Amino acid sequence: MQKKGITPEKIYQEATQLIIEKGYDRFSVRELAGRLDVQPASLYSHVKNAAEISVAVGKNAIAQLSRTLEKAIEKENREEAFIAMAHAYRNFAHENPELYKAIMALPGASETQLKEDEQKTIRPMRAAIENFVPAGAPSINFQRFVRSAMHGFIMLESEGFMRDKSISADDSYDMLISACLSALKEASVTSDVPGDAQ
């Protein structure tokens, strides 16, 4: 018999909160079931498996990050919009480290809905980047360039590789984003843009 009040949405919401509190790597279905006051096996009356829960948490995190980035790019000046997006991305990762991990852990699933959700995060980034790319020119290489730069910096920070306090990580990130911006501004004055490849 299914416990009254338990729904997939409630499971995903509680799983998200549990991951925020305990950590993505320490999430357990057993503890989730305990918080919902059901037996672990009972959860599978509402969801297929633990992977489905993880994907749902990642999708919820994507929605939060997307809203954050959309708000950040609401600026008329394209340079300000790009810089605001880059800082909003890093701030989200700092303020929601476990949700950021959930996003990065999403599998390369073929299901249409997951791909659509992933695009929600990419869309505001793309908008900030494509302000610099000549009309009709592909921008995927620039998207990959910027995302790799931001994500790589965040991962180095999270792993403790920026312990030298003679220069703050904030200053180094500003330098990184300035370099990215320079590359985008260069692209905006030439039509010789690298080819588009997925």
Side-chain angles (χ1 to χ4, degrees):
M1 181 176 179
Q2 294 184 355
K3 188 175 181 66
K4 187 176 180 180
I6 298 296
T7 64
E9 291 71 27
K10 187 171 183 178
I11 292 171
Y12 303 151
Q13 182 179 16
E14 193 63 42
T16 299
Q17 188 58 38
L18 181 58
I19 283 173
I20 291 172
E21 294 174 10
K22 301 288 186 177
Y24 184 82
D25 297 328
R26 291 185 290 278
F27 169 78
S28 82
V29 172
R30 181 174 295 280
E31 186 168 3
L32 174 62
R35 290 176 67 138
L36 291 167
D37 195 25
V38 298
Q39 293 298 315
S42 299
L43 291 180
Y44 300 118
S45 298
H46 306 277
V47 296
K48 293 178 182 178
N49 48 43
E52 180 180 301
I53 297 173
S54 295
V55 168
V57 170
K59 289 164 74 171
N60 285 342
I62 280 176
Q64 291 186 43
L65 176 55
S66 176
R67 288 192 294 270
T68 297
L69 298 184
E70 289 285 1
K71 185 175 181 179
I73 65 173
E74 292 176 352
K75 297 180 181 294
E76 292 184 9
N77 183 286
R78 65 178 185 171
E79 293 185 20
E80 290 179 356
F82 177 79
I83 292 170
M85 178 279 295
H87 284 290
Y89 186 89
R90 179 175 176 239
N91 289 341
F92 179 90
H94 282 182
E95 295 167 7
N96 307 277
E98 302 308 324
L99 293 185
Y100 187 74
K101 287 181 184 178
I103 293 172
M104 293 301 118
L106 280 171
S110 59
E111 56 193 270
T112 301
Q113 187 56 50
L114 181 53
K115 285 186 175 181
E116 290 175 355
D117 286 333
E118 289 173 330
Q119 288 300 313
K120 290 178 183 177
T121 300
I122 296 171
R123 194 173 297 126
M125 281 190 205
R126 180 188 297 145
I129 292 167
E130 289 183 345
N131 283 332
F132 297 89
V133 179
S139 64
I140 188 68
N141 281 342
F142 292 99
Q143 293 173 45
R144 289 174 175 170
F145 165 60
V146 172
R147 292 186 73 190
S148 296
M150 295 190 301
H151 177 67
F153 192 96
I154 289 166
M155 288 296 96
L156 286 173
E157 281 187 292
S158 68
E159 296 297 327
F161 285 103
M162 297 193 183
R163 293 186 291 270
D164 186 340
K165 302 303 181 184
S166 61
I167 298 208
S168 73
D170 289 347
D171 287 345
S172 297
Y173 192 72
D174 286 342
M175 179 180 176
L176 177 76
I177 298 310
S178 178
C180 289
L181 184 57
S182 293
L184 292 175
K185 289 166 70 175
E186 179 69 20
S188 71
V189 296
T190 176
S191 60
D192 185 20
V193 179
D196 191 0
Q198 294 291 340

